[in-house]
Amino acid sequence: MDLLRRLVPALVWLPRYRRADLAGDLTAGLTTAVLLIPQAMAYALLAGLPPVVGLYAAVAPPLVYALFGSSPKLAVGPVAMDSLLVAAAVGSVALAGTEVYVTTAAALALMVGAVQLAMGALRLGFVVNFLSRPVLSGFTSAAALVIAASQLGPLLGLRLGSSTALHTIVLEIAGAVTKIHVPTLVLAAVTMLVLVLLGRWRGKALLVVALGIAASALLDLPALGVAVVGEVPPGLPSPALPLVPWATLGALVPAALTIALVSFMEAISSGLAVAEDDQRPAADRELVALGLSNLACGVMRGYPVAGGLSRTAVNAQAGARTGLAGVFTAALVALALLFLTPLLRGLPRASLAAIIVVAVF
């Protein structure tokens, strides 16, 4: 029984759960979901995937992490850095917008999960001690610039290549400056202005999503040439193993190793940032929990996930006490998939791009 409790930490805190913690967990779970739903769709687009895949990746991981994770406040789901790495890796072996691309991204999640699970079993969590704060800070800052640059196409209404090189993106935009779509640019500028003016208000991302949908309907933005999300399949995904050729899996091995390590670093850094003295995340246990979360995500047609710093901060500030907050977050995302997808059809892609740019900066 002691071994089982070490493997499944939820068996320790669930029997001792206090009713006084329920209000904080419920508030935190719902608040984090309000931020997660638009971010998940936006980050899926960043990864070259349909927005609904981001929502798929936001259901199973929080549930699995609540059972196996060591941080009571870490919010697990799609994040910007992993999404950019997925776009670069999967884009090299599959064509974006195809079912093969979606399946390959799910297979990559399984590979990342397997690597993290193996690292946790081998007690390799100590690698976190070899990455200094300046290194992490420089990596994060560079990633923010590349991620923001990758969204200039949707913000300007331009179709750019899939390159993640900053200079290439700038040169492409310079060559297409006369083709900038003014209605898209205006919408993106207004959206970013609203996000900045609302500051730290936790519901701002959901608000701009609602405003974008309303503007699309009232002004008929698609008729003006503004790109929208389009049809979002309703319902939860059916569990299935993503089947891809062995050659493709072999080509994805370097990316899986990279994403596994980056995902772990993001999660452990986020968990430490909000941890109290008696709640510091255990590195090896975090690797196991993230590995299982990514395995579950791959089976549920998602893509690689990690612990997001911004959502973890919101989760902690909103009053999260235990992993049950993540269960409430997953439940609300699942309800959105079941009942709210028709509302997302007219959501402008420029609104999601604006959310990414403001979030990463």
Side-chain angles (χ1 to χ4, degrees):
M1 188 62 182
D2 289 339
L3 175 61
L4 190 59
R5 286 175 176 171
R6 287 198 297 271
L7 293 175
V8 188
L11 294 178
V12 175
W13 61 261
L14 269 178
R16 303 174 185 173
Y17 192 82
R18 299 178 301 174
R19 185 176 298 179
D21 292 335
L22 181 60
D25 283 339
L26 180 59
T27 301
L30 299 183
T31 302
T32 303
V34 166
L35 178 62
L36 174 57
I37 290 172
Q39 277 193 350
M41 293 189 296
Y43 292 153
L45 286 174
L46 178 59
L49 295 160
V52 71
V53 175
L55 296 179
Y56 292 162
V59 177
L63 291 174
V64 175
Y65 185 84
L67 290 174
F68 296 95
S70 63
S71 171
K73 300 174 183 177
L74 186 68
V76 176
V79 296
M81 190 66 244
D82 283 9
S83 299
L84 187 65
L85 292 172
V86 168
V90 180
S92 66
V93 295
L95 182 63
T98 64
E99 184 63 26
V100 173
Y101 191 98
V102 176
T103 303
T104 304
L108 182 57
L110 288 178
M111 295 174 68
V112 170
V115 170
Q116 291 174 328
L117 196 59
M119 289 176 67
L122 295 173
R123 299 185 179 276
L124 298 180
F126 66 87
V127 297
V128 72
N129 299 322
F130 295 100
L131 294 179
S132 65
R133 183 173 295 275
V135 171
L136 290 175
S137 180
F139 176 78
T140 304
S141 298
L145 289 173
V146 174
I147 291 168
S150 72
Q151 295 306 293
L152 290 176
L155 290 175
L156 301 175
L158 298 174
R159 289 185 176 274
L160 303 178
S162 57
S163 174
T164 57
L166 190 59
H167 66 282
T168 302
I169 296 172
V170 172
L171 289 175
E172 279 194 75
I173 292 175
V177 68
T178 58
K179 300 178 182 179
I180 291 175
H181 191 247
V182 176
T184 299
L185 176 60
V186 171
L187 175 65
V190 171
T191 302
M192 285 193 287
L193 180 62
V194 171
L195 288 168
V196 172
L197 291 176
L198 290 176
R200 295 179 179 274
W201 184 51
R202 295 161 187 157
K204 63 182 182 181
L206 195 63
L207 175 62
V208 300
V209 165
L211 292 176
I213 293 172
S216 181
L218 294 174
L219 303 177
D220 195 9
L221 293 181
L224 296 176
V226 176
V228 296
V229 167
E231 195 68 32
V232 179
L236 297 172
S238 301
L241 283 175
L243 301 178
V244 299
W246 286 106
T248 300
L249 294 179
L252 291 175
V253 168
L257 294 171
T258 301
I259 295 173
L261 183 57
V262 171
S263 169
F264 168 58
M265 293 305 306
E266 287 180 295
I268 202 76
S269 300
S270 301
L272 286 171
V274 299
E276 299 175 12
D277 291 339
D278 60 342
Q279 295 179 338
R280 293 175 65 83
D284 293 327
R285 189 180 295 171
E286 286 299 283
L287 279 167
V288 171
L290 286 171
L292 293 173
S293 298
N294 273 302
L295 288 175
C297 197
V299 172
M300 297 298 289
R301 290 177 56 81
Y303 72 103
V305 296
L309 181 57
S310 61
R311 291 194 303 271
T312 297
V314 167
N315 201 38
Q317 292 166 7
R321 296 290 181 269
T322 71
L324 196 61
V327 176
F328 289 130
T329 296
L332 189 58
V333 176
L335 289 174
L337 275 168
L338 290 171
F339 303 110
L340 300 182
T341 53
L343 298 176
L344 302 174
R345 186 183 301 112
L347 175 61
R349 292 186 176 232
S351 297
L352 294 176
I355 290 172
I356 291 177
V357 171
V358 175
V360 296
F361 276 110

